[in-house]
Amino acid sequence: MNELVPGGNLPLPGGALTLWVPGPFDVSALITDESGKVGGDADFVFYNQPTAPGARLQDDTLTIDPARLRAGAARVTVVISPADPGTSLGRLPAPTLHVTNSGGQPLTRFTPPRPQRETVLLLAELYRRGTGWKLRALGQGYADGLAGIARDFGVDIVEDATPTAAPAAVRSASIPTPRSAPSTGPHFTSTSTATDPTGFLALANSARANAGSPPVALEPRLTSAAQAHASDMAAAGHLSTESRDGTSVYQRVTQAGYAYLTIGEHLVSGPRTPAEFVDYCLRTEKARRTLVERDLTHAGIAQAVDPRSGDVYWTALWATPLTAGNLARTAAEVVELTNAERARAGLRALAVDPLLAAAAQAHSTDMVARAFYAHTSPDGSQPWDRAAAAGSRRRTIGENIACGQRSAAEVVEGWMNSPGHRANILKPDFTHIGIGFAGGGQTGTYWTQLFGA
């Protein structure tokens, strides 16, 4: 099997091709003609529009049949972005594109140079040459995200508002909640509208009830963070997952004083009323999943108007608080999944050590507080130093860290897919473990797994 380098290309066999990028990424495709421009909305294949002639997207997998593409199609560009839009690609594992033929045999794979601040990456392109097709490895990133895509491919990402008598045009971005989150215990049941004169809470909780989910309660700190960002977007005149000073949703929420286990955000421009906003969320798959996520307990909603255009900018925040019970359940799930991996390898289970757990939790919290991500703290301390400072007397110490993962299952899977982290999990000599978790910073979640023997 070929392994491509940037700029390398490969002749493709006839028939359909399967392309997939495992990991915390959203995969999409742009279908263009000889000019390199899309012909219209139907040429953009993504999670909300997963099919086009000759192209189909399912989760992280694209199926492309060049012979069935629309008339005039000369190129299909494979694009990835973080599944969590508040994250830069440099904070995530390196993406790898895998390509197989119609029979499922591997053709090639491509891992580009590790991105840094980029938020969108053109990973590869299929392009027509004569009567055949070839694959070219790209690895071109955009620090300006969708703006760069729009500039180079002619994608119109801003729709004109329609008269108020007709449905409003909507522009949006969303941050999904975890695919699988631990149980969060009792949910708030208040549906009072005393602090919600707009009626948003009643509308949201009605939608949640229809989906079989418990109601959420408005949380003043989330509302404050939402208002600050809605006002910032209105002042800038465009939607953005980051504030103009570079602040992420995770930082906005923690700066407001709210500690979270799970956080989700809707950013929308266009709806004029809370009813139109909720209706939009229910019609958009990813937004709907966040709105009705069972384990969420709190919400915050705000809007602001751009005085120049009259556009209304909305921010909605959805969250599960980081309580002692939630933290303990999350840590226990990480331990359980880790021990399941050890059992599959014929190794004994690790016992929880409260001293290692204290050191692991302190490190996750410190990474958020001092805005770093490393085994070595800014003061130079190493994992064994932190374990000793917590009172541990274990002779051998090992540490795994991770950031950005949205659940215990996702973080353990990521560690097991990394040789160095996997070696720690499956080291026969280790006997004890401690888990740390903190929310905040640029990537949203910071995990620490501390081992001892």
Side-chain angles (χ1 to χ4, degrees), residues 337-350 416 423-431 451:
L337 292 168
T338 299
N339 280 332
E341 296 292 348
R342 289 178 63 88
R344 276 191 279 273
L347 301 172
R348 60 182 172 178
L350 301 172
M416 289 299 294
N424 271 341
I425 288 175
L426 300 183
K427 185 170 182 175
D429 294 345
F430 285 141
T431 57
F451 305 90

Side-chain angles (χ1 to χ4, degrees), residues 18 21 31 33 47 57 77 81 86 115 132 182 186 196 207 213 239 241 266 274 289 305-306 341 395 430 432 447:
T18 299
V21 185
I31 302 167
D33 54 23
Y47 62 84
L57 173 65
T77 303
S81 57
D196 179 34
S213 297
L239 290 170
T241 56
H266 290 143
R289 285 204 302 267
V305 178
D306 181 346
E341 296 292 348
R395 298 186 303 274
F430 285 141
H432 290 77
W447 306 77

Side-chain angles (χ1 to χ4, degrees), residues 76-414:
V76 180
T77 303
V78 181
V79 181
I80 64 164
S81 57
D84 180 345
T87 304
S88 66
L89 288 167
R91 297 281 189 170
L92 301 178
T96 297
L97 173 70
H98 300 261
V99 185
T100 61
N101 64 17
S102 58
Q105 287 82 30
L107 293 176
T108 189
R109 65 185 178 189
F110 170 55
T111 302
R114 189 175 184 86
Q116 297 300 319
R117 294 180 58 83
E118 292 89 343
T119 55
V120 174
L121 186 70
L122 307 185
L123 198 52
E125 64 180 8
L126 288 74
Y127 63 101
R128 190 174 61 206
R129 278 294 177 267
T131 59
W133 285 75
K134 302 180 79 172
L135 176 76
R136 178 185 292 119
L138 297 176
Q140 175 189 347
Y142 292 90
D144 53 350
L146 287 179
I149 295 289
R151 180 180 63 246
D152 288 357
F153 288 84
V155 178
D156 183 7
I157 61 170
V158 180
E159 298 179 46
D160 293 330
T162 55
T164 55
V170 175
R171 308 190 297 275
S172 72
S174 66
I175 293 180
T177 53
R179 288 187 282 264
S180 58
S183 170
T184 58
H187 291 267
F188 288 88
T189 56
S190 170
T191 57
S192 168
T193 59
T195 57
D196 179 34
T198 67
F200 164 79
L201 186 63
L203 293 166
N205 281 333
S206 175
R208 289 176 63 83
N210 289 338
S213 297
V216 294
L218 287 179
E219 215 290 331
R221 291 166 294 183
L222 293 179
T223 298
S224 174
Q227 187 61 67
H229 192 54
S231 299
D232 188 81
M233 291 190 297
H238 60 82
L239 290 170
S240 176
T241 56
E242 290 189 347
S243 302
R244 286 175 293 174
D245 62 1
T247 303
S248 71
V249 57
Y250 315 113
Q251 292 166 315
R252 291 193 293 272
V253 171
T254 54
Q255 287 169 6
Y258 187 95
Y260 63 83
L261 178 69
T262 302
I263 194 73
E265 183 177 56
H266 290 143
L267 307 176
V268 179
S269 174
R272 311 295 297 187
T273 66
E276 288 181 2
F277 173 83
V278 172
D279 180 63
Y280 162 76
C281 292
L282 292 174
R283 289 186 286 108
T284 307
E285 181 57 29
K286 275 197 171 182
R288 184 182 186 279
R289 285 204 302 267
T290 300
L291 192 153
V292 301
E293 167 61 47
R294 285 192 56 83
D295 295 315
L296 297 171
T297 60
H298 289 150
I301 181 74
Q303 61 167 299
V305 178
D306 181 346
R308 297 155 297 190
S309 65
D311 288 344
V312 181
Y313 289 84
W314 296 80
T315 299
L317 290 167
W318 313 84
T320 303
L322 184 64
T323 64
N326 286 339
L327 181 59
R329 279 187 288 271
T330 300
E333 188 174 357
V334 173
V335 173
E336 180 182 359
L337 292 168
T338 299
N339 280 332
E341 296 292 348
R342 289 178 63 88
R344 276 191 279 273
L347 301 172
R348 60 182 172 178
L350 301 172
V352 174
D353 181 333
L355 299 178
L356 293 180
Q361 183 59 46
H363 189 51
S364 287
T365 302
D366 190 35
M367 286 191 288
V368 171
R370 292 202 276 180
F372 74 99
Y373 175 65
H375 293 289
T376 303
S377 300
D379 58 13
S381 62
Q382 301 287 343
W384 43 90
D385 300 319
R386 294 189 288 272
S392 174
R393 295 295 178 262
R394 301 202 176 275
R395 298 186 303 274
T396 305
I397 295 293
E399 183 178 76
N400 287 342
I401 59 174
C403 64
Q405 290 79 8
R406 296 173 289 177
S407 68
E410 190 175 318
V411 74
V412 173
E413 180 184 8

